[in-house]
Amino acid sequence: EVFDALMKGAGAEAREVLEKFRDDHAFDPEKILATELHIALDDNFLPVECPGIDGRVAEYEGTLDLVMLHSVTEAEICDWKSYYQIIDADTFQSKFYPLLLMCLNPSLERVTFVLEFIRYGVSRNVEYTRKDVPRLKELAQRERIRQRKLHELAASDERDLKVSPGRHCTWCPLL
C-alpha cells in the first residue's frame, strides 16, 4: 500500500525503481534502529546533539539511509543508489558512515556498509571493525582538511582551480 501511494505521482523512471525495490526488499522491524539517521560529531569524533544550538560545532556529519542492529555489537548500514553504474563499496562514504556509527555507538564492534543499487537489484558491501576506527578517523581528518582548503581556494580571489573530470565529479565540493 505504501509503495502504491508512492507510485501514484511518480514518473516512469521512478516507478521502475520503486517496483524493483518492492520486489527485492523485506525488512525485520525489530532490527531497524533508524532511517535517515543524521549523525554529527565534533573534531574529537564525539557526538554533537544539536550542532550550533549548544555552541558545539559539528566537524563531521552524515545522514545514513537505514541502520539495522543485528546484535549489540553488529550493525548494518544500507545506502540506496539509483545510479546507472554499479560501483564497488570502496568509496569515502562507505568508510565514513561506519565511522560515524561506531563513534555514536561505542558498543559496536562490526559494521557492514551495503550499497544497494535498486535499479538492478544488486548490492556491494564492505565491513569494518572497531580496530579500523583509528585508520578511518585519519582518513576523515585528512579529507576534512582537503575539503576546507578547496573551499578556501574557491572563496579566494585566486581562483586558479584545476579541473580533473571523472566519476568523482558527482561529489565535488566545488559544484
Side-chain angles (χ1 to χ4, degrees):
E1 290 175 5
V2 171
F3 276 93
D4 290 339
L6 282 172
M7 288 195 278
K8 277 194 177 169
E13 188 174 340
R15 186 182 309 270
E16 176 188 344
V17 170
L18 288 169
E19 293 259 353
K20 185 77 169 162
F21 189 84
R22 176 179 30 202
D23 295 341
D24 292 346
H25 290 79
F27 302 98
D28 180 354
E30 296 295 318
K31 291 184 178 184
I32 295 176
L33 173 68
T35 60
E36 294 297 315
L37 176 62
H38 182 78
I39 301 173
L41 304 175
D42 66 14
D43 57 346
N44 292 313
F45 295 95
L46 297 172
V48 177
E49 192 123 348
C50 298
I53 293 176
D54 59 3
R56 293 181 66 201
V57 176
E59 189 72 15
Y60 306 100
E61 293 184 68
T63 302
L64 290 58
D65 287 354
L66 172 69
V67 178
M68 292 184 287
L69 289 179
H70 296 293
S71 72
V72 175
T73 60
E74 293 188 18
E76 181 177 318
I77 300 168
C78 290
D79 193 74
W80 292 296
K81 302 295 184 195
S82 60
Y83 300 163
Y84 285 98
Q85 180 179 11
I86 297 168
I87 61 171
D88 288 331
D90 65 351
T91 64
F92 176 75
Q93 182 186 36
S94 71
K95 296 170 179 70
F96 188 59
Y97 282 10
L99 171 65
L100 292 174
L101 190 58
M102 284 193 275
C103 289
L104 181 68
N105 185 343
S107 73
L108 291 174
E109 291 296 325
R110 179 179 318 279
V111 174
T112 303
F113 180 87
V114 182
L115 278 176
E116 292 270 351
F117 298 94
I118 56 176
R119 187 176 301 280
Y120 306 110
V122 173
S123 64
R124 299 287 185 263
N125 63 39
V126 64
E127 187 176 278
Y128 295 98
T129 64
R130 182 63 55 186
K131 70 178 182 174
D132 294 312
V133 168
R135 180 176 56 87
L136 297 175
K137 283 182 178 180
E138 284 179 27
L139 173 66
Q141 289 169 326
R142 186 174 65 243
E143 290 303 311
R144 185 66 172 135
I145 290 168
R146 186 180 74 80
Q147 182 185 40
R148 284 180 183 263
K149 285 181 182 176
L150 283 170
H151 283 278
E152 288 169 10
L153 183 59
S156 73
D157 290 333
E158 302 172 28
R159 295 185 183 185
D160 186 24
L161 303 174
K162 303 286 188 261
V163 177
S164 301
R167 289 187 327 170
H168 58 276
C169 289
T170 304
W171 301 283
C172 180
L174 300 176
L175 290 176

